[in-house]
Amino acid sequence: MNNPGTHAHHLDDVRILDLFAGPGGLDVAAHFLGFKSLGIEWDRNACETRYAAGLPTIHADVSVMRETRFDEIPKSVDVLAGGPPCQSFSVAGNGAGRRALDTVEKFIHRLVDGEGEAGIDEDLHSLGDPRTALVLEPLRWLIKAIETEGRNPYKVIVLEQVPEVLPLWEVYAKLLRGGEGRLAGVKYEAECWKLKTEQFGVPQTRTRAVLVARLPGEGAIEPIEATHLPFDLNRGKRSAAQADMFSTDFTISGVKQQWISMAEALDTASKLKDSPVDASRLRTGSEMKFFIVSNYGSGGDPKKRGRRQSSEPAFTVTGKISRNKIYKSLDDHEADRFHRFTIPESGVLQSFPHNFPWSGNDQAQQVGNAVPPRLGMHVLSRALRGDNPSDAELTASSTWPSVSRATTEELRRLGCGDQGQCPPESHKISPLRRKSAP
């Protein structure tokens, strides 16, 4: 990072280090909870979004940053957070990570037991998909903090991934509780869960594996309390009597709960000041009524596309959300087709603020790769404060504060500097994309 004196104010009092930060899902959550964060992200396009949003960022490879630039991380950081890339573990990927779960578990133990990292790295390269190895990075960052003079172990660790990674988070949790080997007597309270995003007010169905670890002294880690009902994925296969059991109109703990539909989320966003979300194109008369056909197959059949009505949550928002087709009616597919979801609309379905300043290229991929901020608010609030986010905080999270161009330029210089320490080739733009570059 260049000119530390000029840009130090952006890093003052930073508490959260967000590895694999993407466009800022966890950082957006931290902002609305009142915590400052610093993200490390290698993708130039995601960094452009972060700079435009006013989020302090280092444009770097997480592994390289740990190995050669660890001293640049502010000593005020006491929370380690992140969601390593999920493609090799996801059911939408090629499955290399799922097949390697047992192997990766062995690597975790090898790291903690003190085996030389050069040999571990060499073996990791044989896994096929190099992204699989990145799930080890949070552990390596913790070990680095423990073994670096003048640094302290992180007080809190928050990790999220696709649900297939839960067995690895459980291995993490067991080792963090044990405090042995290179963890050298540093013991954490640690818990992990599978969380459904629609149960936390995100207008889409998406399941995530989450780990929360905390140094002793703050009490046991309580489960993260869902605020909404789960969406019944098998609703079309149930009898009428069974369907009644899954009605959204009943009470949990004395509070009426209901998942948020696409129509509700988009309609609410469209009514906010200067909103880029145009709900009028999704309306038939005064009613917002449409359905979407997924780009992915359903039930193991790649040709059988799933459907969701506007009165239901969206499918999992992925980098291919712009390929989902939106229709007015079930009867006339082609004649009544709307345009695809816009980037602001896709962001709203991920629970980003309606006016979040998506920038750079590959914006749909940025949206799909992000942690849903509203889920992040619940996880971080539980980990750092032991409670749920307040209604006021959740309400405020619908709108992102404006950021001056001067601040964006400062953050770009902070993150990229002379570009000499950025990932190789990351600032080169092909002639075909140069016109749309920021």
Side-chain angles (χ1 to χ4, degrees), residues 40 89 92 136 138 165 186 220 261 268 299 339 344 352 363 382 404 427:
I40 301 176
F89 294 98
L136 301 177
V165 175
V186 180
S261 70
T268 299
H339 297 295
F352 274 87
Q363 292 180 13
R382 176 63 60 185
S404 70
H427 286 270

Side-chain angles (χ1 to χ4, degrees), residues 45 56 62 94 119 164 194 314:
N45 294 305
V62 164
N94 63 18
E164 289 77 13
K194 284 185 182 181

Side-chain angles (χ1 to χ4, degrees), residues 19 84 106 109 114 142 162 177 189 196 198 350 357 363:
L19 307 180
K106 293 176 183 177
H109 286 286
L142 172 59
V162 293
R177 295 184 195 113
E189 302 279 351
K196 295 182 177 182
E198 78 271 18
Q350 271 280 52
Q363 292 180 13

